Amino acid sequence: MPEGLDFPHERLAWARQRAGFPDKADFARAMGVNATTYRAYENGQNGFAKLAAQFAKRLGVSAEWLLEGGPPPTGPIEVADVPPAMLATADDGTVELQRLDLSLSMGPGTLIDDYVEAEPVRFDPSFVRLITRAPYHRLKLVTGIGDSMYPTLNWGDTIMIDTTDRALGKQDAIYWISVYGASGLKRLRAIGKGRVLVVSDNPSVPDQEVDAEDLRIEGRAVWFARGL
């Protein structure tokens, strides 16, 4: 019997490596769990009883073994396909969405560095599911600046972006886009073969017609919050 399997966090680490996830962050990402939260599970700082069944399915072991111990699993690993949308629930029943340290222009556009810091924000999963069925780890929160999308969006609004939606599949929806290297939040409308109209809701701001190949969609806005 392998050594160091006396505690649940030790068995979790062993099963993760056995299942082909040498890096903790990679497994956390696959499960839609915040990497810092997951590290606390493997370090024994936090219990993971509520997530044991989900982890077990992905790691090809039983939840009972993860939590209670016993002879370690042997033989081939049978991994279940766990829908990401059902993952990422923390011990308190909330889910963590990443709030990017990023202000997206609702004007001419904002140049964005490749690396953007993020912090977790907790939501009630039932509330998130009223908005979207996208996996939790693919939902990002950004801040809007500028007035080109007024009155729909105001300066300082927090906007939830579904980063799974990276194609113009919904006419006149608001998307996080990048045009000629500048990123922002704009309404998009397909107007012909290979042509897209980038629309500003503020009537005083002119729209922009671009080639579809010059437009990159990072995700679609699905919800926003505004302070009083």
Side-chain angles (χ1 to χ4, degrees), residues 187-205:
R187 198 176 297 279
L188 298 183
R189 183 182 305 152
I191 56 174
K193 186 176 181 180
R195 301 292 289 175
V196 177
L197 188 65
V198 180
V199 179
S200 298
D201 285 5
N202 189 333
S204 67
V205 180

Side-chain angles (χ1 to χ4, degrees), residues 47-172:
F48 58 90
K50 291 185 179 180
L51 294 175
Q54 296 170 1
F55 289 163
K57 288 179 182 179
R58 190 66 182 83
L59 296 173
V61 298
S62 70
E64 181 182 9
W65 180 80
L66 278 180
L67 297 176
E68 304 297 334
T74 58
I77 301 174
E78 297 182 4
V79 176
D81 184 14
V82 183
M86 300 304 295
L87 305 178
T89 305
D91 289 340
D92 62 359
T94 62
V95 293
E96 289 185 350
L97 274 56
Q98 294 298 306
R99 183 185 184 96
L100 304 181
D101 184 14
L102 179 65
S103 295
L104 287 179
S105 174
M106 296 182 293
T110 304
L111 293 175
I112 298 176
D113 295 332
D114 291 335
Y115 176 76
V116 178
E117 293 185 354
E119 63 177 357
V121 178
R122 294 187 178 276
F123 279 79
D124 185 316
S126 61
F127 173 74
V128 177
R129 286 291 154 251
L130 290 174
I131 301 168
T132 176
R133 300 299 299 177
Y136 301 125
H137 70 289
R138 296 297 300 275
L139 298 172
K140 309 299 179 185
L141 300 173
V142 299
T143 302
I145 59 174
D147 62 0
S148 75
M149 294 304 293
Y150 179 83
T152 307
L153 296 173
N154 290 350
W155 193 305
D157 286 350
T158 296
I159 299 113
M160 183 186 295
I161 304 292
D162 175 3
T163 63
T164 67
D165 198 345
R166 304 189 65 178
L168 180 48
K170 198 170 184 179
Q171 282 281 66
D172 290 323

